[in-house]
Amino acid sequence: MGLFGSDKLILGYDLGNEYCQISYAFSDSGEVETLSQVAGAQSYNIPAVLCKRTGVNQWFYGKDALRYAEENQGILVDNLLGQALDGEPVIIEGESFEPVALLALFFKRSLGLLTQVASSERIGALMITCEMVDSRVLEVLNRMIAAVHLKTDKVAFQSHTESYYNYMLKQPQELWTNRSMLLDYRSSCVRVYRMECNRRTTPVVVFIEEDVHPFYLWEPLPEEEPAREKRIEEMDRALLRIAEDAMMSQVESVYLIGDGFEQEWMRESLRYLCKGHRVFQGNNLFSKGACYGMQERLNLSETGKEHVFLGRDKLKANVGMQILRQGEESYYALLDAGVNWYEADCTLEFYIRDGNEITLRVMPLTGKNGKEAKIILEDFPGNIARLRAHFYLEAENLLVIEVHDLGFGEFRASSRHIWQERIELYSRE
């Protein structure tokens, strides 16, 4: 039994423009399963669409939405995440709808599938994963979560890249001792993720490179020969070129996910991928990886302690400062490398005397030399004061420091002065 308990659900929710998936576990160490729309089948993809029934305020989601739209009984609304990110009102039958509200409606309705296993009231923790996470995506997702009034505050977000990492962390180590590769084929591109472990460091640092290859050949395959065979050969050759360009040495495993791989057209490309590697095919890796990621947060496993993932969204340096504690100088950690930059946050109160400088130590985990960063408190009033400093990131590489003057008890009132500084943590070479 994990620390979280089996009376609560832990969810991994993969939210995309075309479909979503929901994986779940009953504890922070329990087995992860994925909800299927058809009992006994692996029908994991929930179409990310809504349909407003013509003339009435009645809404359907997912497959029901597609069915009503096909029968001309309603107006289909697709690209829900994309429209929410754009922010433009959605006009349906002359009425304006806020796009984040529509996304929240779909999200809430899709959670109704949980009735297969438990009440949605039992959601204890939720990890949402998207193709990428930036400040705009975070804003939209936080507004979506606020609108559905979940009974938990344990909600987090991560990219598909990190969900891949979390998924692999739960697989046998012989599948990713050195390198692993993931090919995700949906819509009009093949996205390639290449995971590599640097075992010369402690903890082991894991990197994932990501490339996108346009792949416009996929549609329902022609039924007539020889057109069908010609299309299959074209697709097979195109995928083989992508695989050859992406393949690294010492790759233990290859994962194929996405709708594009469901039809049987891979021949030479699959033969190449299977040469010396173990190959797996499926389509619920990201939602399971998101669920594993939340389990890891709730109950840090030994594997999690031994590895640190330095992806695109990660803070890649430790940030701290030297302070006097009980008369002895010691290092005080402010922000730890390996956390998502948008979750890196620290507030510290301390005293400063004999000067107007605060010196930070920045120590990258990427093998580069550390550096000192100085914050100058211009027009600092007095020789001693209590300060409150808030440290957070505006982007993966941009640290913001806000310093508030709190005064010094009865000796000096606060000047209400606030200093703000932005520091680039490391070069992007």
Side-chain angles (χ1 to χ4, degrees):
M1 178 69 65
L3 299 175
F4 197 64
S6 60
D7 61 327
K8 296 290 187 181
L9 275 174
I10 298 171
L11 299 187
Y13 192 107
D14 180 14
L15 177 60
N17 268 320
E18 297 171 353
Y19 60 79
C20 77
Q21 293 178 359
I22 306 172
S23 291
Y24 65 93
F26 282 102
S27 73
D28 54 19
S29 57
E31 186 174 350
V32 175
E33 305 286 351
T34 305
L35 291 176
S36 174
Q37 296 180 92
V38 180
Q42 295 182 351
S43 179
Y44 301 139
N45 290 351
I46 306 165
V49 294
L50 291 171
C51 180
K52 181 183 181 297
R53 195 162 187 175
T54 306
V56 295
N57 188 29
Q58 187 178 13
W59 294 83
F60 303 93
Y61 84 99
K63 290 185 175 181
D64 285 343
L66 293 175
R67 178 168 57 83
Y68 275 88
E70 287 168 2
E71 295 172 355
N72 294 317
Q73 296 188 51
I75 296 91
L76 189 71
V77 187
D78 59 5
N79 190 29
L80 294 171
L81 179 58
Q83 293 198 77
L85 293 172
D86 290 341
E88 294 296 321
V90 179
I91 308 301
I92 306 172
E93 294 186 311
E95 187 177 356
S96 178
F97 293 88
E98 211 279 317
V100 175
L102 294 177
L103 181 65
L105 175 62
F106 169 80
F107 177 69
K108 186 173 184 178
R109 292 285 179 87
S110 66
L111 289 180
L113 283 173
L114 287 171
T115 55
Q116 297 177 25
V117 294
S119 165
S120 60
E121 299 290 314
R122 289 177 60 185
I123 297 174
L126 167 67
M127 176 72 78
I128 296 179
T129 185
C130 297
E131 187 174 286
M132 64 171 291
V133 177
D134 58 19
S135 55
R136 178 58 181 158
V137 171
L138 286 170
E139 178 189 350
V140 165
L141 294 182
N142 277 308
R143 288 174 58 195
M144 179 189 79
I145 291 296
V148 298
H149 305 292
L150 293 176
K151 303 289 187 182
T152 179
D153 59 356
K154 292 183 174 64
V155 179
F157 313 103
Q158 67 184 30
S159 66
H160 279 173
T161 309
E162 187 166 5
S163 292
Y164 171 40
Y165 163 77
N166 287 131
Y167 180 88
M168 293 308 300
L169 217 61
K170 294 292 186 179
Q171 307 311 304
Q173 284 211 22
E174 62 265 21
L175 296 178
W176 54 279
T177 299
N178 294 302
R179 296 182 174 100
S180 174
M181 189 166 76
L182 167 67
L183 278 68
D184 177 16
Y185 179 18
R186 64 188 83 189
S187 298
S188 57
C189 72
V190 173
R191 196 172 293 267
V192 179
Y193 302 83
R194 293 176 292 186
M195 175 173 151
E196 183 171 357
C197 302
N198 182 358
R199 298 195 172 276
R200 296 186 298 274
T201 62
T202 304
V204 174
V205 176
V206 181
F207 301 94
I208 296 179
E209 292 184 3
E210 186 178 339
D211 295 307
V212 180
H213 300 267
F215 203 87
Y216 296 100
L217 294 169
W218 185 75
E219 299 168 353
L221 290 172
E223 294 183 4
E224 307 81 12
E225 299 292 356
R228 179 182 179 87
E229 184 63 25
K230 181 181 178 182
R231 173 76 64 75
I232 285 176
E233 289 179 359
E234 289 175 345
M235 294 172 66
D236 196 23
R237 283 197 302 269
L239 182 64
L240 177 60
R241 287 193 295 270
I242 292 172
E244 289 174 337
D245 290 342
M247 185 59 70
M248 307 171 287
S249 62
Q250 295 181 299
V251 171
E252 284 93 1
S253 59
V254 177
Y255 291 80
L256 306 174
I257 66 171
D259 290 344
F261 290 129
E262 289 181 359
Q263 298 191 50
E264 294 183 5
W265 55 269
M266 293 176 288
R267 296 173 183 171
E268 292 301 317
S269 53
L270 188 59
R271 195 173 293 120
Y272 171 79
L273 290 170
C274 289
K275 196 178 298 181
H277 319 111
R278 293 183 63 183
V279 178
F280 302 87
Q281 186 172 352
N283 72 352
N284 60 337
L285 184 149
F286 291 136
S287 64
K288 292 188 79 169
C291 194
Y292 287 137
M294 181 52 80
Q295 285 182 316
E296 192 68 31
R297 288 184 180 220
L298 296 170
N299 183 16
L300 194 62
S301 69
E302 289 304 315
T303 308
K305 293 174 185 176
E306 295 168 359
H307 296 77
V308 59
F309 171 53
L310 292 188
R312 180 173 52 190
D313 301 327
K314 296 298 184 178
L315 174 60
K316 298 178 180 65
N318 291 309
V319 180
M321 59 191 294
Q322 295 296 125
I323 64 171
L324 280 176
R325 184 181 293 170
Q326 297 179 343
E328 294 187 5
E329 189 171 287
S330 63
Y331 174 80
Y332 187 90
L334 298 167
L335 303 173
D336 293 328
V339 301
N340 289 321
W341 67 262
Y342 44 84
E343 295 176 321
D345 190 285
C346 176
T347 300
L348 174 68
E349 290 190 8
F350 58 96
Y351 292 93
I352 186 172
R353 59 184 299 176
D354 300 329
N356 66 341
E357 292 183 359
I358 300 172
T359 302
L360 302 182
R361 290 178 59 191
V362 180
M363 294 163 288
L365 289 190
T366 53
K368 299 174 183 175
N369 294 329
K371 70 175 184 179
E372 289 190 345
K374 293 185 183 296
I375 300 115
I376 309 297
L377 307 180
E378 299 287 351
D379 303 319
F380 178 66
N383 295 325
I384 187 168
R386 186 164 59 97
L387 303 177
R388 179 188 298 121
H390 182 204
F391 305 86
Y392 63 95
L393 275 77
E394 279 189 347
E396 174 263 326
N397 192 36
L398 189 60
L399 175 66
V400 180
I401 306 101
E402 292 180 353
V403 182
H404 295 243
D405 174 20
L406 302 180
F408 189 57
E410 297 178 356
F411 297 97
R412 183 175 70 77
S414 167
S415 67
R416 302 186 183 278
H417 204 119
I418 300 174
W419 297 268
Q420 189 176 83
E421 190 81 26
R422 284 171 171 78
I423 295 172
E424 189 174 87
L425 293 176
Y426 32 77
S427 64
R428 296 181 180 272
E429 299 172 5

